[in-house]
Amino acid sequence: MEKKIHVNNLGTILLRTTPRATRFTLKISKGMITATMPVGGDEKRMLAFIEENRQKLLNALEKHPARPLLDESTALQATTFRLEIFRTDRDNYYMTLKDGLLRIACPSDTRFESEKVQQVLKDLLEKAMRHEAKRLLPDRLMALAARHGFTCTGVRIMNSKTRWGSCSSRKSINLSLSLMLLPWHLVDYVLLHELCHTIEMNHSDRFWALLNGLTDNKALALRKELKSYRMF
């Protein structure tokens, strides 16, 4: 069972009942609280549980706010393109990516607050990001590997929502398409970070010394800057 409720200052909360739940839990993802309880759980008790944790939830929402709606006012500068969303007389959605401008056209009666509309726009934006990531990131990674003497056995573009990149014990590197939302110097930081893992499969002092040597001793500053960006 799922339903949405609105709680003052906490916004929309998704109430879920699942057989797998053994207790009341609260989770925040993309600015929305999900409250989960076991089958047969008391909704009033869940609401009380939410109130008991109100301050913790408010603090968490401040750190992880909801992503703004994608609409005509959206000003998004990605790595290789600027996003423009506009209305058109056509009755379907379409997009074009040319000369550093991604244009997404929407029907004239589009309701941008609709979850379905937001999903359509996110899917289109994701498609453009994936295209750019596949077009640019593998070659850029391999060029950095060759320049600095790393061995990389392969690279894949993934839709990871939690990690900018990862490296396997076989020296194969996965990169999130969300990298295409970063400025180039942070893209390169992530690529070098993962290349360093082909030698040091940890975050030991040796790892940071290696990465520091490749970033003019700016590894920790770049890591801090990266934390100010959100994945798509």
Side-chain angles (χ1 to χ4, degrees):
M1 182 277 293
E2 290 188 357
K3 76 173 185 178
K4 292 181 179 179
I5 62 171
H6 184 82
V7 177
N8 287 342
N9 299 324
L10 295 178
T12 300
I13 297 179
L14 178 63
L15 293 181
R16 298 177 63 242
T17 299
T18 171
R20 291 175 293 179
T22 58
R23 57 192 178 89
F24 290 175
T25 60
L26 300 170
K27 181 178 73 172
I28 293 178
S29 177
K30 298 180 180 179
M32 175 180 279
I33 300 169
T34 298
T36 305
M37 60 184 175
V39 174
D42 184 353
E43 185 174 317
K44 290 184 179 180
R45 178 68 190 97
M46 172 56 84
L47 294 176
F49 183 63
I50 291 171
E51 287 301 322
E52 291 166 10
N53 289 275
R54 171 178 283 272
Q55 192 56 54
K56 291 181 180 179
L57 292 171
L58 288 171
N59 293 340
L61 286 171
E62 185 176 355
K63 292 181 179 179
H64 305 284
R67 188 178 294 277
L69 291 179
L70 293 170
D71 59 23
E72 294 166 297
S73 67
T74 297
L76 186 152
Q77 178 63 58
T79 313
T80 60
F81 61 80
R82 178 173 61 85
L83 174 64
E84 178 186 344
I85 298 174
F86 63 100
R87 297 177 190 265
T88 177
D89 291 336
R90 290 174 54 166
D91 59 2
N92 65 314
Y93 295 85
Y94 68 92
M95 72 174 182
T96 59
L97 177 56
K98 184 179 180 181
D99 298 330
L101 179 63
L102 174 66
R103 305 184 79 231
I104 299 181
C106 308
S108 58
D109 60 351
T110 297
R111 295 176 57 251
F112 288 107
E113 68 276 12
S114 162
E115 290 185 17
K116 290 184 178 179
V117 169
Q118 287 298 303
Q119 190 60 54
V120 169
L121 296 175
K122 289 175 183 177
D123 288 346
L124 291 172
L125 179 55
E126 180 182 307
K127 183 178 180 180
M129 290 165 54
R130 186 183 299 279
H131 174 272
E132 292 294 270
K134 288 185 175 181
R135 181 174 71 88
L136 297 168
L137 294 185
D139 286 348
R140 197 172 183 93
L141 178 74
M142 292 305 183
L144 286 171
R147 183 187 310 166
H148 298 291
F150 292 102
T151 298
C152 174
T153 61
V155 55
R156 292 192 303 167
I157 305 301
M158 311 291 286
N159 192 17
S160 172
K161 306 292 187 183
T162 58
R163 304 177 73 177
W164 297 103
S166 62
C167 178
S168 74
S169 58
R170 296 181 179 181
K171 301 185 179 182
S172 178
I173 291 176
N174 295 326
L175 299 173
S176 172
L177 58 86
S178 286
L179 284 169
M180 300 315 298
L181 296 176
L182 303 178
W184 276 120
H185 72 283
L186 289 180
V187 173
D188 287 342
Y189 165 75
V190 173
L191 300 186
L192 288 170
H193 184 113
E194 299 311 326
L195 286 170
C196 286
H197 279 315
T198 64
I199 296 176
E200 296 290 342
M201 289 294 296
N202 50 55
H203 288 109
S204 64
D205 290 343
R206 293 191 305 274
F207 169 85
W208 287 109
L210 179 61
L211 187 53
N212 252 332
L214 300 173
T215 57
D216 296 325
N217 292 317
K218 296 178 181 177
L220 294 181
L222 290 168
R223 181 180 69 166
K224 182 178 180 180
E225 184 181 354
L226 181 62
K227 289 182 178 180
S228 67
Y229 287 83
R230 297 175 62 186
M231 305 189 76
F232 183 68

